[in-house]
Amino acid sequence: MSGDAMFEARELSRHYSTGGGFLRALDGVSFKIFKGETLGVVGESGCGKTTCGRTLIGLYGKTGGSALYCDADVHTLAGEEKRRFKKEVQMVFQDAYSALDPRMTAGDIVSEGPDIHGLTRTRAERAERAVRYLELVGLGGEHLGRYAHEFSGGQRQRVGIARALAVEPQFILLDEPISALDVSIQAQIINLLMDLQKRLGLTYMFIAHDLSVVRLVSDRIAVMYLGSVVELASSAEIYYNALHPYTRALYASVPIPDPELEMRRRADVIGDAADPGLRPESGCKFAPRCKYADGVCRRDAPPLIESDEGHFIACHYPIQNIGAAPGEREMKF
Amino acid sequence: MSDLLEIRRLRVSYHTMAGEIQAVRGVDLSVGENEVVAVVGESGCGKSVTARSILRLVRRPAGDIKSGSEILFRGENVLSFDKKRLRRYRGGECSIVFQDPLSALNPTMRSGRQIEENLRAHSGISAAAARAEAVELLRRVGFDDPARRARQYPHELSGGMRQRVMIAIAFSNRPSLLIADEPTTALDVTIQSRVLELLRELQVETRASIVLITHDLGVVAGIAKRIYVMYAGRIVESGSSEDIFYHTAHPYTKALLASVPRMTMQSKLPLPYIQGVPPELIDPPSGCAFAERCALCMDICRREEPKLTESNGRHSTACWFETLPGTDGGGLL
């Protein structure tokens, strides 16, 4: 794969200064997002996945490296270019309740973007457009005059998606768009997002902490740990041939809706989620939680290398392929 | 064997500007000694209200436990406890773990103190002994450095750690019954596994019964012996974990089970989901509450409400399709 990368992160970093030093929330990550694909980003709280997404689209300033959108530096865009970027790149947030202005109606929320970008001229056109986008996400025109608190959680997230779509974007950053929803509603929103992608030719970056969900929507997946990408490969590779112990641990932590299998599942993980403020001075960041770690791991940080075509991994001791998917059976690793 | 907890005909309403919301509409539920029981359902099905009722945490005047309801703890009606008896019951014989530990813990109190508070409220234990016991409890819930954690405030702990502090408080007086209301919903999957494992261990160790409230059937598979499925304020199916997972009877349970993302699902394909939304409980439908969303809906379903009927031992279903002669729910969905 090459050529039509829509986004590219090159050694992209975002450090925060804290009382005594720096918190390296995003610590030099490199990856591409190709046109029309979904790049899933998965990791625990504090791994920097949200910072990664927001720095990539210029919502957060960077402290190192660069973020490119169609070969232009996201952080130095200005004038007409910046305006176009803001129309083409949209975002959907985890908590739709706080992402929607409680004093605006759904119609106004969906119309705000088109207003700013001058996409509608008359009031009738504006209302017609808002209804069209609400209908696109499965809400009827009767919701036009409703406020955020009048919607259920799933409907609210649909309004958030309609708002993002209303300016006809090319790319949407989806930051845990379903984590706050019931399981039964999650499936609806995932289906909607996949359907919209197909119909409108959208490119997604999909951030979540649950690998079982990320796997279902993504073409490629980046696994993040304490500000770094530790594994990046196609969704199928990550499923059938995960090489990093952390990726395996993420799989093992997904509960299985089957009592016999679930009783046997041993989520062999791995202590508390790492505190981004407390990290090893040297070596692999995952070493303190990794059962395979040895002196080498604690001394030298493994670089992200391409082990197979399109399969990148940062580990001194990648797990040998056990030749089967880590599906609904006991995890061995 | 007499039951530890027996809920009979529980009805709870909330009075709002829009009218009376019948959140719980006649629930019968029992929990044996040393038993883990799960209550599963979507947002708004009444599962949390049921959980809170067990501890009489439904606050008047908005919340209203209707007369005729009975909550029997070892044969005593909790609803007629006087203040003194209630104090002994809450946090002593019966305790609760909430979904969001950050808002459930006191932000101005060190975590150790919050455990001591509960210990001292229920016994004549000395301050020094309570302090030592609190540290011991923190060690038991998995902290490597319990003395240091005891001195920390909730905001200094991660989400998973906070939930473990909550669990330490809940278990501090060796309760006979623990209510766990979505204890892992706000947590990452990796941490969810650990918290479930911890609950499982503590249950075996203390022989306390647990009522686990959740929207995620995956979460209950490895821990619950019996499961109640709630929909629109009523129990629609109940049975052993095997009954619910392997001999699923109610169309709602089947749909709920199908919507859990599984590792065996193909990526980029539409997920099964439940069409529509639950009914408004201000004006509950006269027939089966699930009829509008049900693929098997018949005429009678809209007219008459199906009763919870025992089919096989303790496996009960409230569904016309299952109970009417000449129909056979097995294998159709």
Side-chain angles (χ1 to χ4, degrees), chain B residues 5 17 23 33 42 50 56 78 82 92 111 130 146 152 164 168 173 184 196 214 222 235 237-238 278 311 317 319:
Chain B
L5 179 80
M17 299 280 275
E33 301 273 358
E42 290 169 282
T50 303
R56 261 174 71 182
V78 173
D82 61 17
S111 56
Q152 286 184 313
R164 282 190 278 138
N173 290 306
T184 62
L196 289 174
T214 175
I235 306 286
E237 182 168 4
S238 70
S311 59
T317 318
C319 176

Side-chain angles (χ1 to χ4, degrees), chain A residues 289-318:
Chain A
R289 292 169 84 190
C290 181
K291 61 178 174 186
Y292 304 111
D294 65 6
V296 176
C297 302
R298 280 182 278 272
R299 194 181 62 236
D300 304 320
L304 189 70
I305 54 157
E306 190 164 10
S307 75
D308 243 318
E309 206 193 330
H311 194 150
F312 297 84
I313 167 129
C315 179
H316 292 301
Y317 303 108

Side-chain angles (χ1 to χ4, degrees), chain B residues 136-143 164-165 167-168 194 198 202:
Chain B
E136 200 38 55
L137 279 158
L138 286 174
R139 184 190 313 282
R140 181 60 202 90
V141 296
F143 287 104
R164 282 190 278 138
V165 171
I167 291 170
R194 275 202 94 195
L198 175 65
L202 288 171

Side-chain angles (χ1 to χ4, degrees), chain A residues 18-259:
Chain A
T18 57
F22 285 103
L23 178 72
R24 288 180 281 180
L26 190 63
D27 203 9
V29 299
S30 302
F31 59 86
K32 290 177 180 173
I33 303 178
F34 298 98
K35 201 165 171 18
E37 77 165 345
T38 300
L39 177 73
V41 178
V42 68
E44 292 163 286
S45 299
C47 74
K49 55 193 190 294
T50 292
T51 304
C52 178
R54 294 187 178 187
T55 310
L56 183 72
I57 66 167
L59 215 53
Y60 289 170
K62 62 180 180 184
T63 53
S66 54
L68 305 177
Y69 175 69
C70 303
D71 297 322
D73 190 321
V74 167
H75 291 93
T76 57
L77 290 173
E80 189 47 40
E81 268 192 323
K82 184 164 191 174
R83 200 178 168 81
R84 215 185 64 220
F85 176 78
K86 288 192 163 183
K87 178 180 167 299
E88 289 176 0
V89 174
Q90 287 294 312
M91 182 162 178
V92 172
F93 299 87
Q94 171 173 2
D95 179 4
Y97 199 69
S98 44
L100 303 180
D101 188 326
R103 294 178 300 179
M104 281 167 79
T105 63
D108 285 339
I109 289 169
V110 174
S111 301
E112 199 177 22
D115 288 350
I116 290 167
H117 292 284
L119 299 176
T120 53
R121 271 176 216 91
T122 63
R123 286 176 81 108
E125 226 178 293
R126 182 178 188 265
E128 186 268 328
R129 189 183 180 95
V131 171
R132 185 150 42 101
Y133 279 98
L134 286 175
E135 281 173 353
L136 191 61
V137 298
L139 294 171
E142 74 272 15
H143 293 100
L144 207 59
R146 293 199 183 157
Y147 293 91
H149 75 269
E150 296 177 80
F151 291 102
S152 69
Q155 289 176 323
R156 233 174 263 144
Q157 198 54 288
R158 286 173 194 266
V159 175
I161 294 167
R163 169 180 63 184
L165 292 175
V167 292
E168 297 163 23
Q170 304 284 315
F171 174 89
I172 304 182
L173 172 60
L174 303 158
D175 190 357
E176 302 255 15
I178 57 161
S179 308
L181 304 174
D182 270 9
V183 200
S184 56
I185 309 298
Q186 288 183 359
Q188 290 183 16
I189 299 295
I190 289 176
N191 288 349
L192 174 69
L193 289 169
M194 292 200 288
D195 181 51
L196 289 168
Q197 178 171 45
K198 232 182 276 165
R199 284 162 63 185
L200 307 173
L202 295 164
T203 305
Y204 289 154
M205 177 166 175
F206 187 100
I207 296 174
H209 65 84
D210 185 342
L211 192 48
S212 68
V213 170
V214 172
R215 190 182 72 76
L216 293 175
V217 299
S218 306
D219 297 288
R220 292 187 306 135
I221 296 173
V223 181
M224 281 191 72
Y225 191 78
L226 283 185
S228 301
V229 172
V230 296
E231 186 161 12
L232 192 157
S234 72
S235 195
E237 272 287 293
I238 291 281
Y239 183 49
Y240 290 108
N241 193 22
L243 300 175
H244 201 287
Y246 182 60
T247 310
R248 298 272 171 149
L250 285 180
Y251 267 122
S253 67
V254 177
I256 307 165
D258 181 316

Side-chain angles (χ1 to χ4, degrees), chain B residues 175-239:
Chain B
S176 315
L177 180 63
L178 174 80
I179 315 293
D181 189 1
E182 303 260 12
T184 62
T185 304
L187 305 175
D188 273 5
V189 267
T190 48
I191 308 307
Q192 165 170 291
S193 284
R194 275 202 94 195
V195 167
L196 289 174
E197 186 73 42
L198 175 65
L199 284 176
R200 208 157 28 197
E201 282 171 23
L202 288 171
Q203 197 278 324
V204 171
E205 203 174 297
T206 68
R207 301 176 61 81
S209 297
I210 297 181
V211 178
L212 177 66
I213 312 281
T214 175
H215 68 92
D216 185 351
L217 270 165
V219 164
V220 308
I223 184 166
K225 298 279 182 306
R226 280 193 307 120
I227 297 171
Y228 290 88
V229 180
M230 267 189 94
Y231 187 75
R234 294 231 162 111
I235 306 286
V236 295
E237 182 168 4
S238 70

Side-chain angles (χ1 to χ4, degrees), chain B residues 266-320:
Chain B
Q266 283 285 319
S267 59
K268 300 296 267 186
L269 289 179
L271 310 179
Y273 69 102
I274 313 176
Q275 213 105 33
V277 289
E280 295 283 344
L281 293 178
I282 287 187
D283 180 25
S286 49
C288 171
F290 188 60
E292 289 305 319
R293 305 171 77 185
C294 184
L296 303 173
C297 181
M298 304 175 290
D299 281 345
I300 188 173
C301 302
R302 291 180 210 276
R303 263 194 338 264
E304 260 180 79
E305 171 133 36
K307 294 268 168 299
L308 196 62
T309 314
E310 208 164 275
S311 59
N312 182 13
R314 291 180 90 176
H315 187 189
S316 307
T317 318
C319 176
W320 285 120

